[in-house]
């Protein structure tokens, strides 16, 4: 009788072990079955990372209509029609359009006005502007950048010349900021990842002084001197869709 109970217990234990092994095997099979899905997620993640890198590569800043730049003018002591000197801050969006066939590179700086700016009478509007990449204009050296040693000539500066329209000032006096001819020298460099890098500088106007060359005033010469009237800061808006508006 004791032997019979022992045999029955062994059989029950064997059956339980068999069931447990089958359950473990089933779970392992399920785990293995889900592995292709895990691999699929990893593959999709890799593809998305590749797309992100591709988009970043396309977001390089350029001197073309692919990149819009924001210029911030901080002007001090600029003249008005009624003889006052005022301090003003203006923000404009521009694009640098290169004219083909010139060395060093140069072209037009075109203002991009939003609809609100175009309808506002107090916005600074640029009637004409040109830019040119340059060596140091105060220390020009022929052949400073040797052709063949670089992928393209290196010019550490961008020279800007801008003509602005009159800007009405708030208030009942009816005063306006006079049209200005502004000059600026920006720092210019290139980066393989970022593209064109521009940094701000001084804003100048040129004042003319006439000097007589003889005591009778029969001959004279005009000399121009740069006078700093403020600062200009610049930063890029990478996307063409960053602003919507009209181009001047």
């Amino acid at each position: 009788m004791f032997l019979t109970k022992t045999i029955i217990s062994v059989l029950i234990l064997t059956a339980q072990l068999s069931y447990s092994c089958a359950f473990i095997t089933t779970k392992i099979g399920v785990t293995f079955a889900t592995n292709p899905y895990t691999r699929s997620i990893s593959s999709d993640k890799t593809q998305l990372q590749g797309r992100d890198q591709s988009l970043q590569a396309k977001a390089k800043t350029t001197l073309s209509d692919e990149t819009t730049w924001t210029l911030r003018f901080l002007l001090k002591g600029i003249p008005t029609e009624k003889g006052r000197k005022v301090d003003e801050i203006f923000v404009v969006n521009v694009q640098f359009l290169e004219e083909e066939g010139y060395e060093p590179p140069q072209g037009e700086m075109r203002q991009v006005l939003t609809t609100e700016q175009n309808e506002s009478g107090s916005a600074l509007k640029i009637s004409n502007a040109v830019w040119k990449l340059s060596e140091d204009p105060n220390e020009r050296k022929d052949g400073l950048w040797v052709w063949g040693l670089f992928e393209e000539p290196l010019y550490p500066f961008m020279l800007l010349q801008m003509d602005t329209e009159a800007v009405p000032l708030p208030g009942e006096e009816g005063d306006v900021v006079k049209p200005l001819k502004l000059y600026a020298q920006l720092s210019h460099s290139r980066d393989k990842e970022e593209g064109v890098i521009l940094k701000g500088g001084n804003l100048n106007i040129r004042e003319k002084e006439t000097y007589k060359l003889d005591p009778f005033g029969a001959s004279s010469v005009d000399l121009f001197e740069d006078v700093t009237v403020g600062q200009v800061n610049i930063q890029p808006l990478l996307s063409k869709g960053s602003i919507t508006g009209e181009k001047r």
Side-chain angles (χ1 to χ4, degrees), residues 93-235:
N93 295 319
V94 301
Q95 295 171 345
F96 297 100
L97 308 180
E98 182 178 352
E99 296 182 16
E100 298 294 334
Y102 288 92
E103 186 59 42
Q106 56 193 278
E108 172 194 3
M109 187 184 80
R110 182 173 63 189
Q111 184 175 10
V112 181
L113 290 170
T114 64
T115 302
E116 292 181 356
Q117 289 175 331
N118 202 33
E119 294 175 351
S120 172
S122 60
L124 180 69
K125 296 181 180 179
I126 299 174
S127 57
N128 183 58
V130 292
W131 62 272
K132 181 179 181 179
L133 298 186
S134 173
E135 299 173 6
D136 189 337
N138 297 320
E139 296 182 7
R140 295 185 183 277
K141 298 179 181 179
D142 293 335
L144 178 60
W145 308 112
V146 181
W147 289 90
L149 297 182
F150 305 99
E151 293 182 2
E152 58 181 306
L154 303 178
Y155 297 101
F157 298 104
M158 172 186 278
L159 306 181
L160 291 180
Q161 179 177 316
M162 299 163 283
D163 295 323
T164 67
E165 298 179 4
V167 182
L169 293 173
E172 299 179 357
E173 297 86 356
D175 204 358
V176 299
V177 173
K178 289 182 177 182
L180 298 170
K181 183 179 286 290
L182 298 171
Y183 300 85
Q185 178 177 299
L186 308 181
S187 296
H188 165 263
S189 61
R190 301 291 177 105
D191 182 85
K192 290 184 179 180
E193 300 296 329
E194 298 181 29
V196 176
I197 299 175
L198 297 175
K199 296 181 181 179
N202 290 336
L203 274 174
N204 300 322
I205 60 174
R206 288 182 179 167
E207 293 186 346
K208 182 178 74 172
E209 290 193 19
T210 301
Y211 295 89
K212 296 180 180 179
L213 298 180
D214 62 78
F216 304 101
S219 60
S220 62
V221 61
D222 292 332
L223 297 180
F224 293 88
E225 180 182 1
D226 285 349
V227 178
T228 300
V229 294
Q231 296 282 326
V232 57
N233 299 322
I234 184 169
Q235 62 182 9

Side-chain angles (χ1 to χ4, degrees), residues 16 28 34 36 73 146 186 202 227 238:
Q16 290 175 344
I28 293 174
T34 59
F73 298 117
V146 181
L186 308 181
N202 290 336
V227 178
L238 293 180

Side-chain angles (χ1 to χ4, degrees), residues 68-82:
T68 298
W69 302 76
T70 296
L71 294 176
R72 183 180 178 87
F73 298 117
L74 294 87
L75 297 170
K76 295 183 179 181
I78 52 177
T80 69
E81 288 287 354
K82 295 190 176 182

